[in-house]
Amino acid sequence: MPYALEVEKINKTYSTSRAVNDLSFTVPQGAIYGLLGPNGAGKTTTIRMLMDIIMPDSGQVKLFGEPFRRELLRRVGYLPEERGLYRKMKVKDMLVFLGLIRGLERPESIRATEQWMARLEITDWSQKKVEECSKGMQQKVQFAATLLHDPDLVILDEPFAGLDPVNTVMLQEVMLELERKGKTLIFSTHRMEQVERLCDSICLVNRGRAVLQGNLREIKRGFGTNTILTRMEGNNGFLATLPGVRDVIHSTNFTQIKMQPGADSQAILHEMAARTSISHFELTEPSLEEIFIMAVGKVDA
Amino acid sequence: MRNIINILVREYVERVRTKAFIILTVVAPLFIVGIFLGPVYFMARSNKAQHIAIVDLDGRIGSLVKERLLEKPKIEPKEALQKAQQGRGRDNNPILEDTYNVELIPVEPGQEAQVRARLSERVLHAKNDDDKLDAYVWIDKNTAETGNADYYARNTADFGNVATLEGAISRAVTRLRLQAKNISPDQVDSLLKRVDLRTVKITEGGEKEDKGIAAFVIPMFFTMLLYMTLLIYGATVMRSVQEEKSSRVFEVLLSSVKPIELMTGKIIGVAAVGLTQLAVWAVMFGTVAAYGLAAASAQIGDISVPPMLYVYFLIYFILGYLLFSSMYAAVGASANSDQEAQQMQMVILPFIIVPVMLLQMIIRNPSSPTAVAMSLIPFFTPLLMFLRISVQTPPVWQIALSIALLAGTTAGMIWICARIYRVGILMYGKRVTLPELVRWIGTA
């Protein structure tokens, strides 16, 4: 499978800390790739190295199968974590300018600006100054700016931070549309439900190292089906005492039972059925959130 | 190149559109003209009569002083104005003649203290305007011998007034002394006749009678204009870079644009704004000079500007601007906030302010060794060499040398600052130290 991005053993050390440590990962073309990790894991540093904003101390980056060249960045769209817009400029002028900078001719840039403003429903704001826009609105402007030049690879650093649910869904839809058009998307986040919804593959980074990476489905399968989701009548205090149960988490509608490795789910089901009436019983993979906490916790321990 | 142009155009268009630009463009020239012409105008207008009382215990001096003060100036006002601007008026009065309303106060022997108290009271708390005294002069019995008299006033800083009175009293005393030596009043008058120096400026184009303060106003006007534009546009570059850094715009731009392109585009864009402003000012100045200033021109003298001066202005503006704006860009990129940038620019300010402090010295003696040396220091060259050129054209080799040194320094400074800029614009967090800056310059 061709790769849109290959990262080989990149390193970055700041005076006090090693921000990125021998990090390697590959992003298949046409995938939505999640770069996960707790705060300060090195996600933004990694992305900045991909964008040639900071130089890696060592290691190699390949874009579209070729060794890194600045010109290849013309095919990349980048949404930085911080909102970088000229505050005094009008939204439309700002976007047209960024289109020019990205190599579009003026008429093309104007056309692309108008298209994306319409798609992201910010046309009404085109004559407003950036500083007059809300944070979420600025976020959408910036998102449009990332896509103006129709990049093949889109790198989004925390794209949903500060967005309301409606706009989050709108952005997710746009991302899925881009995937259908064959574009490759990489985004960093620590919101697991977004990853589960969007990503084909992930790389989980902690303390500058990749602790887990690959196809999301396979990763989850690797952790096995060790969780029972159940709903039942009456007192469920007995669950924790059953053999093979590691932990019980009660929530309003569901009870989650974590099994010890190698425990027999059918035996637990029988025990439960003997004591109460069960309306729901489901064997599931661990949620990504649990995997995240397990993987990060293991390294920290 | 394409990127530089895009950045330059954006910088230019966004700045020229701002209210600040429009206001500055219109208001600044009025301000400058005000600074230079205001005092002249007010001096010419504020001929309010000074109300002075003279107490003469000698008995002869007071009436002579009064006569002298009330004498109509023998010279025409225009001529008086010129003399005033050259630092000389009647009896070396450095400002324009005042008109006087003089009262001679008789004093009975033994009443001195009461008279003095009453006069002081009139100075401080006059009942009405007619009663109000601006000052009074106390002439002693032995003033003619000692040459001492006292001046009492609320405002003793009115040097012009003091000098006029001093002149009048001196003249009266001199007259008495001469008369005491049996010299006839006619002879006294001819002995006291003063000498007027006519000032003639020697230029390459031949001799030309210097008409008033234009010789001073034009160089100062252009030098201050140069100073202001260097300062304003340097700081503009700094703030603009700082804004790009703190708003993280550069991060969006940097994936498509090289740091050096960003810096170059910005510096040229702001320069274009500056030149636009100067062009507007030139047109305004030209118009005002042609109409509004016609009257003032008659008074302050020839305000025509030699065309070469514009050329030098452009040369020193462009080189000086590139020198300082690249330094300002480096400061803007190194600082983490606007406040930090404001503090860090203190490193640059001396290079701009020191020459301003030297202006007076240089305008007085533009070809002294100090003036030559100072004007060849590249950081001072834009202001000082330009001032020297506008006051008294220095030898060609000095001009050429100054331009060569300045251009070389500017090129080196741009190289250094581009390096600081490139590293600095990506550094966040703690304040940068000098050793770090040096290390940044070293990074390839």
Side-chain angles (χ1 to χ4, degrees):
Chain A
M1 189 178 351
Y3 292 111
L5 174 71
E6 293 155 83
V7 175
E8 279 167 45
K9 294 198 165 196
I10 52 168
N11 281 285
K12 181 76 200 178
T13 307
Y14 290 125
S15 52
T16 48
S17 62
R18 196 147 190 192
V20 175
N21 192 347
D22 268 346
L23 184 65
S24 302
F25 62 92
T26 50
V27 180
Q29 223 155 57
I32 299 186
Y33 194 89
L35 203 54
L36 324 181
N39 297 325
K43 293 171 299 206
T44 296
T45 304
T46 304
I47 288 176
R48 284 185 174 174
M49 284 193 282
L50 301 182
M51 295 310 296
D52 198 34
I53 292 170
I54 45 184
M55 296 279 281
D57 299 334
S58 64
Q60 214 193 352
V61 175
K62 280 185 177 178
L63 274 176
F64 311 110
E66 291 180 59
F68 183 87
R69 278 184 292 126
R70 272 197 76 89
E71 297 76 71
L72 293 173
L73 286 179
R74 292 226 173 275
R75 293 169 60 193
V76 179
Y78 168 50
L79 177 78
E81 183 184 10
E82 312 256 356
R83 305 305 150 234
L85 296 168
Y86 288 109
R87 291 172 35 247
K88 303 275 178 203
M89 267 182 110
K90 287 180 183 161
V91 168
K92 188 173 178 183
D93 293 346
M94 174 86 221
L95 287 173
V96 171
F97 167 70
L98 287 172
L100 293 175
I101 287 292
R102 302 267 160 68
L104 299 182
E105 295 301 326
R106 182 164 286 275
E108 287 176 75
S109 184
I110 292 172
R111 190 159 7 93
T113 296
E114 282 166 356
Q115 273 172 11
W116 278 110
M117 284 197 305
R119 175 65 185 90
L120 296 172
E121 297 170 13
I122 48 178
T123 308
D124 290 348
W125 295 79
S126 65
Q127 293 307 312
K128 290 262 194 286
K129 284 185 181 171
V130 169
E131 63 185 355
E132 295 166 24
C133 296
S134 68
K135 234 178 159 180
M137 195 63 70
Q138 290 186 24
Q139 179 95 336
K140 289 208 278 181
V141 173
Q142 184 117 31
F143 192 71
T146 309
L147 302 171
L148 284 173
H149 58 304
D150 195 24
D152 295 321
L153 172 62
V154 180
I155 300 179
L156 310 166
D157 199 353
E158 301 279 0
F160 306 112
L163 283 186
D164 63 37
V166 175
N167 284 316
T168 303
V169 169
M170 185 192 286
L171 251 58
Q172 289 178 351
E173 280 168 4
V174 173
M175 288 170 72
L176 291 169
E177 275 167 34
L178 289 169
E179 188 198 21
R180 280 198 292 280
K181 282 192 209 155
K183 312 287 185 191
T184 310
L185 292 99
I186 300 174
F187 75 103
S188 79
T189 185
H190 46 251
R191 300 271 299 277
M192 295 308 140
E193 78 280 4
Q194 291 159 357
V195 178
E196 299 219 43
R197 169 144 193 230
L198 295 168
C199 291
D200 307 305
S201 303
I202 60 159
C203 176
L204 175 55
V205 185
N206 191 35
R207 301 190 167 185
R209 287 175 181 280
V211 288
L212 201 62
Q213 60 177 303
N215 183 285
L216 185 57
R217 222 120 292 296
E218 285 165 19
I219 288 173
K220 287 185 113 180
R221 212 169 293 139
F223 275 81
T225 46
N226 69 344
T227 302
I228 298 165
L229 271 184
T230 181
R231 197 157 49 198
M232 57 194 172
E233 302 291 321
N235 189 342
N236 50 20
F238 65 91
L239 286 174
T241 65
L242 295 179
V245 171
R246 180 165 58 84
D247 197 9
V248 178
I249 301 161
H250 301 286
S251 52
T252 320
N253 296 321
F254 278 91
T255 303
Q256 262 190 68
I257 303 169
K258 309 272 175 209
M259 293 185 293
Q260 281 161 2
D264 181 356
S265 59
Q266 296 309 308
I268 294 173
L269 175 60
H270 281 299
E271 289 286 344
M272 287 167 65
R275 299 182 191 215
T276 183
S277 116
I278 300 166
S279 57
H280 185 102
F281 186 93
E282 185 188 354
L283 263 180
T284 65
E285 296 158 347
S287 71
L288 192 56
E289 196 168 334
E290 289 168 57
I291 294 175
F292 179 97
I293 292 166
M294 272 189 275
V296 170
K298 214 188 299 169
V299 176
D300 282 349
Chain B
M1 198 58 210
R2 221 194 91 112
N3 280 335
I4 294 180
I5 292 170
N6 282 328
I7 287 165
L8 185 163
V9 169
R10 189 207 77 87
E11 192 74 35
Y12 181 81
V13 170
E14 290 297 317
R15 291 213 173 273
V16 170
R17 271 189 198 167
T18 58
K19 287 194 192 74
F21 174 82
I22 295 163
I23 291 170
L24 186 66
T25 308
V26 176
V27 171
L30 298 180
F31 183 70
I32 295 183
V33 167
I35 282 181
F36 286 105
L37 295 185
V40 176
Y41 178 80
F42 283 115
M43 274 192 277
R45 281 297 171 95
S46 70
N47 277 345
K48 184 177 160 281
Q50 294 268 334
H51 193 168
I52 304 244
I54 298 174
V55 178
D56 180 15
L57 301 178
D58 176 270
R60 297 167 297 170
I61 302 174
S63 51
L64 282 172
V65 171
K66 179 175 182 179
E67 186 187 319
R68 177 72 183 163
L69 287 179
L70 296 183
E71 214 170 76
K72 285 272 169 256
K74 289 194 191 79
I75 39 180
E76 289 301 301
K78 192 175 137 186
E79 197 186 338
L81 189 67
Q82 284 168 18
K83 286 184 182 298
Q85 286 143 3
Q86 289 162 11
R88 288 174 288 120
R90 179 171 56 182
D91 302 316
N92 287 323
N93 181 351
I95 63 153
L96 286 176
E97 329 307 275
D98 284 309
T99 54
Y100 290 94
N101 182 359
V102 184
E103 255 179 76
L104 275 175
I105 309 288
V107 183
E108 298 299 322
Q111 297 289 303
E112 286 91 345
Q114 288 92 318
V115 169
R116 187 168 300 187
R118 205 169 60 236
L119 290 174
S120 293
E121 184 61 20
R122 283 178 64 190
V123 171
L124 290 176
H125 317 284
K127 287 188 221 77
N128 54 48
D129 270 1
D130 286 343
D131 198 40
K132 170 101 184 140
L133 277 182
D134 290 299
Y136 66 92
V137 176
W138 195 273
I139 294 165
D140 259 336
K141 268 196 178 63
N142 47 5
T143 289
E145 286 82 53
T146 61
N148 290 326
D150 296 323
Y151 174 80
Y152 296 86
R154 202 168 212 185
N155 170 18
T156 52
D158 186 353
F159 296 115
N161 201 14
V162 173
T164 305
L165 281 165
E166 211 167 56
I169 297 170
S170 294
R171 198 179 163 96
V173 168
T174 310
R175 182 179 291 267
L176 289 177
R177 287 172 183 166
L178 289 170
Q179 279 171 355
K181 295 210 182 322
N182 290 323
I183 296 166
S184 75
D186 284 353
Q187 280 173 310
V188 168
D189 279 344
S190 68
L191 281 170
L192 289 178
K193 195 167 161 54
R194 34 175 293 122
V195 174
D196 279 335
L197 265 189
R198 186 174 65 103
T199 47
V200 180
K201 182 174 177 175
I202 305 167
T203 63
E204 300 296 340
E207 294 180 1
K208 135 179 162 191
E209 189 164 355
D210 193 352
K211 295 197 208 119
I213 52 173
F216 172 79
V217 163
I218 297 294
M220 274 316 252
F221 175 82
F222 277 94
T223 309
M224 292 314 282
L225 192 62
L226 195 56
Y227 164 70
M228 277 179 50
T229 42
L230 286 182
L231 204 62
I232 291 172
Y233 288 105
T236 304
V237 168
M238 179 182 80
R239 271 199 308 276
S240 175
V241 170
Q242 176 53 45
E243 193 207 329
E244 245 159 43
K245 178 174 175 175
S246 54
S247 71
R248 320 272 165 147
V249 181
F250 80 94
E251 210 170 311
V252 182
L253 302 182
L254 233 50
S255 53
S256 336
V257 181
K258 292 199 196 95
I260 184 76
E261 292 175 325
L262 201 53
M263 181 172 139
T264 313
K266 179 168 297 287
I267 286 178
I268 300 177
V270 173
V273 177
L275 289 173
T276 306
Q277 196 155 55
L278 289 174
V280 173
W281 288 347
V283 170
M284 284 172 76
F285 184 71
T287 318
V288 173
Y291 301 99
L293 278 185
S297 169
Q299 290 192 330
I300 66 170
D302 182 10
I303 54 170
S304 70
V305 178
M308 265 314 275
L309 203 58
Y310 290 117
V311 175
Y312 284 122
F313 187 88
L314 271 187
I315 292 175
Y316 287 112
F317 171 74
I318 289 171
L319 286 175
Y321 168 79
L322 288 176
L323 178 65
F324 287 111
S325 64
S326 59
M327 290 164 76
Y328 272 114
V331 165
S334 312
N336 287 307
S337 65
D338 225 19
Q339 292 91 318
E340 207 178 300
Q342 293 296 339
Q343 289 165 12
M344 285 174 69
Q345 70 158 335
M346 294 302 166
V347 183
I348 304 175
L349 278 182
F351 292 115
I352 302 186
I353 288 173
V354 168
V356 171
M357 292 172 2
L358 295 172
L359 291 182
Q360 285 297 336
M361 187 268 280
I362 289 193
I363 208 166
R364 212 169 297 149
N365 198 346
S367 35
S368 69
T370 326
V372 173
M374 287 296 170
S375 65
L376 286 174
I377 296 175
F379 293 100
F380 301 168
T381 294
L383 287 189
L384 297 189
M385 189 53 91
F386 176 77
L387 179 68
R388 289 186 57 209
I389 291 173
S390 57
V391 176
Q392 177 193 58
T393 310
V396 175
W397 69 265
Q398 286 184 8
I399 299 180
L401 180 62
S402 81
I403 292 178
L405 286 176
L406 178 58
T409 309
T410 301
M413 194 49 89
I414 291 176
W415 184 84
I416 290 173
C417 291
R419 272 154 184 263
I420 295 179
Y421 177 90
R422 202 184 47 184
V423 183
I425 196 146
L426 287 158
M427 288 287 171
Y428 293 109
K430 69 186 179 59
R431 200 180 179 129
V432 63
T433 61
L434 196 62
E436 277 174 320
L437 273 185
V438 173
R439 193 144 29 84
W440 292 359
I441 297 169
T443 27

